[in-house]
Amino acid sequence: MDKVLVTGGLGFIGSHTVIELQNEGFEVVIIDNLSNSSIDVLEGITAISGKSPLFEQLDLKDKSAVQNFFSKHKDIKGVIHFAASKAVGESVQEPLLYYENNLNTLIYILQELTAKKASNFIFSSSCTVYGQADNMPITEDAAIKPAESPYGNTKQIGEEIIKDTCKVKSNFNAIALRYFNPIGAHPTAEIGELPIGVPQNLVPFITQTGAGLRDALSVFGDDYPTPDGTCIRDYIHVVDLAKAHVVALKRLLNKKNTSNYETFNIGTGVGSSVLEVIHSFERVSNKSLNYKIADRREGDVISAYADTTKANEELGWKAASSLDEAMLSAWKWEQKIRGL
Ligand code: WQD
């Protein structure tokens, strides 16, 4: 059974990916520093899969800890790297924290992997690297625009670091998955998104409003040049996103990759406006959502949704869930954690 390291494996996307790896027969080792997750997620993973992954609480900013880990686990066949800080707004306030946490950790892992005979690496990237793309849907060869935030910059720089490494290390194989907007939760409602404090992202704010934790959702602007005036995004079920990681890892393990550095847009290919997401919640919950129109949010792009042709045809992956199915899973999770 191939052993795979998942960094940030107790986080939102990481935990769902651990489940899909276990379902495919991989042995999973999780590293997490619990800065943005809870040890309870380990219980949720085990409850779903019946298999408890190995877990090491360590901070990847500690270079010697990373070196010790890899000397202990020489049989790791692949690494899926989620561990990073990811709050756009916070990154503007704390840029050095973001550059240190998102880049030093990546470099320390790559130093270990490139010292091995052969290694396989899946990088958690983001559609944020495109900024406001010129054309919709967005293809992988769309221009990489100057980042709107230090967070987005760490994803761009991260990809560059990996690309430059791949150029000189032919034994190092990497895939960067550029996520669009992950939403929802595992259908068992044993794991899901656990935003700390006031949710920055749309869907957890909607479900918390639906659960009565928030008075009203503020819609950040309805005067954009879109059909209903609100911003458009590509909301993908987190389980579909998790499955994309397993497919990408198998591509490298089975040496099906066409170069040792590849990028794929991981989305549904469907753009949904903020108001359409609100209506999706109202349909699946049979509740009316209290919301008000507020000012635009600094740094928001007008529209971003994926051209998924490359992932469909080359990766052999396609998102299966609709917006309503993803929203229903998010709502079921919210009800579960609030005891509703
Ligand atoms: C979606 C839309 C908001 C909250 C960010 C990061 C991206 C990834 C996902 C990490 C926008 C609107 C939101 C609210 C609102 N993060 N909105 N009221 O900004 O597309 O992407 O999170 O990997 O890298 O950039 O997601 O959910 O914050 O916003 O109207 O209370 O919902 O203006 O149009 P975003 P989001």
Side-chain angles (χ1 to χ4, degrees):
M1 174 164 28
D2 283 351
K3 188 193 267 191
V4 177
L5 165 63
V6 179
T7 73
L10 294 186
F12 175 40
I13 306 168
S15 55
H16 287 83
T17 302
V18 168
I19 295 289
E20 299 309 321
L21 286 165
Q22 291 180 320
N23 290 347
E24 290 296 306
F26 288 97
E27 180 191 359
V28 178
V29 189
I30 292 173
I31 287 178
D32 205 300
N33 68 358
L34 300 182
S35 65
N36 190 22
S37 56
S38 153
I39 192 69
D40 297 344
V41 175
L42 205 50
E43 210 175 291
I45 290 170
T46 308
I48 296 170
S49 68
K51 289 172 263 184
S52 189
L54 297 172
F55 170 66
E56 295 214 15
Q57 180 175 353
L58 67 88
D59 195 323
L60 295 169
K61 292 197 295 292
D62 178 345
K63 185 171 183 174
S64 58
V66 175
Q67 292 170 327
N68 293 338
F69 175 87
F70 278 94
S71 59
K72 231 172 37 175
H73 295 275
K74 294 191 185 317
D75 54 347
I76 282 175
K77 292 287 185 297
V79 175
I80 303 182
H81 182 48
F82 293 103
S85 303
K86 63 156 204 151
V88 174
E90 182 189 47
S91 78
V92 174
Q93 303 308 321
E94 301 284 355
L96 293 179
L97 283 185
Y98 271 68
Y99 288 116
E100 180 190 35
N101 190 43
N102 293 7
L103 298 179
N104 287 8
T105 55
L106 172 65
I107 291 164
Y108 298 156
I109 290 170
L110 296 185
Q111 285 171 332
E112 295 305 311
L113 290 182
T114 49
K116 295 161 74 84
K117 251 194 345 291
S119 49
N120 303 297
F121 184 71
I122 308 293
F123 179 61
S124 163
S125 190
S126 168
C127 62
T128 205
V129 302
Y130 299 114
Q132 178 52 70
D134 298 330
N135 305 301
M136 292 298 134
I138 304 174
T139 58
E140 285 82 354
D141 56 7
I144 302 297
K145 298 272 185 77
E148 306 257 349
S149 69
Y151 161 75
N153 209 16
T154 65
K155 291 301 178 184
Q156 290 185 3
I157 299 169
E159 287 195 8
E160 291 299 320
I161 290 171
I162 296 164
K163 205 158 55 173
D164 287 345
T165 304
C166 289
K167 280 179 193 153
V168 291
K169 298 280 182 184
S170 58
N171 61 337
F172 174 68
N173 301 291
I175 290 176
L177 297 181
R178 292 171 178 167
Y179 311 158
F180 280 70
N181 288 57
I183 64 167
H186 196 267
T188 60
E190 291 288 348
I191 57 173
E193 196 166 4
L194 285 168
I196 295 171
V198 179
Q200 298 304 304
N201 294 132
L202 177 65
V203 169
F205 203 107
I206 285 177
T207 56
Q208 286 192 13
T209 304
L213 276 77
R214 310 284 165 207
D215 293 337
L217 168 78
S218 296
V219 173
F220 296 145
D222 70 345
D223 57 352
Y224 284 96
T226 62
D228 65 17
T230 63
C231 294
I232 294 171
R233 296 288 184 278
D234 184 333
Y235 297 93
I236 177 171
H237 196 304
V238 64
V239 172
D240 283 331
L241 176 57
K243 288 178 176 172
H245 289 78
V246 182
V247 172
L249 179 65
K250 283 182 166 180
R251 178 181 175 86
L252 296 184
L253 291 171
N254 300 330
K255 304 188 185 342
K256 298 286 186 206
N257 50 324
T258 51
S259 86
N260 71 331
Y261 179 69
E262 298 177 308
T263 60
F264 294 95
N265 286 346
I266 303 299
T268 65
V270 176
S272 300
S273 72
V274 176
L275 290 178
E276 286 171 327
V277 175
I278 291 171
H279 298 147
S280 170
F281 172 77
E282 293 183 327
R283 276 194 300 277
V284 303
S285 65
N286 202 21
K287 291 168 75 80
S288 150
L289 188 83
N290 191 20
Y291 69 90
K292 58 183 188 287
I293 304 301
D295 293 338
R296 292 183 172 192
R297 179 174 69 176
E298 189 69 27
D300 272 339
V301 297
I302 302 165
S303 178
Y305 55 95
D307 180 319
T308 58
T309 309
K310 191 180 173 192
N312 301 157
E313 292 179 0
E314 289 187 36
L315 202 50
W317 167 90
K318 185 171 175 50
S321 299
S322 66
L323 174 63
D324 281 12
E325 286 163 334
M327 182 61 79
L328 179 59
S329 71
W331 177 230
K332 283 183 173 173
W333 167 248
E334 189 71 54
Q335 290 175 293
K336 163 90 180 283
I337 56 178
R338 309 297 171 198
L340 298 177

